[in-house]
Amino acid sequence: MGQPVASRGRSATPTLGKAMLNKYARAFFTRVLTPFAAFLIRRGVSPDTVTLLGTAGVMAGALVFYPRGEFFWGTIVITLFVFSDLVDGNMARQLGRSSRWGAFLDSTLDRVADSAVFGGFALWYAGHGDDNVLCAVSIFCLASGQVVSYTKARGESIGLPVAVNGLVERAERLVISLVAAGLAGLHTFGVPGIQVLLPIALWIVAVGSLVTLIQRVVTVRRESAEAEAAEGEQDPQGNPANASRGSEAAK
């Protein structure tokens, strides 16, 4: 997770808050984790191995602890392994590696990790949590997160920039959910009423994901219309140069 790649396509300009958080937080943890990344390199560990182990750790934390209602310890385990997102990228930079394969593996396993987190919530509410509505909300968060990611990837694959900052993107989904889950887990230590934070967070993520999905779909529709209009101006004879694009996009 987090390995650099030569080109990921054009992306939307981040907000000031996101830019500051990314700049200062990642810079701090990069300095802290650089010696550990160098140690792993000396041991012959590859960035891909760290990516795989990090995803496995997140899945274990989510699917072992969350279905049993152990939200505090599950979140602690997940948070520890989330740092692999910085370690593998740090290792790749030290090794001077920048590959499309690394970016592909990173993005693919990010989706797997996200699914495990919300799947863990769904299993809890389907079982001992005994709340079908929140189980459905958790499943919606899982599915909408995948679709939100897909819309951007698919839009970029057909040559569109998808220049939009969604209301709730992957980082926000995870931070909101994990912080709420960790705090809700303090209920087992005697903190009263705090378990309500997780349902609130799930509803926020669900609504925010829906809004983000709509934002991206609207953006892709607008950019697609603009691109086709520009192509029409360049081809006044109306040659169907892109006649096959619709059928390909439907796959």
Side-chain angles (χ1 to χ4, degrees), residues 109-133:
L109 294 184
D110 280 348
R111 306 288 85 74
V112 174
D114 294 355
S115 297
V117 170
F118 291 104
F121 294 145
L123 288 172
W124 162 250
Y125 286 115
H128 295 295
D130 193 24
D131 193 319
N132 289 336
V133 173

Side-chain angles (χ1 to χ4, degrees), residues 19 75 103 156 170 188 250:
T75 301
E156 291 177 343
R170 181 175 185 262
T188 60

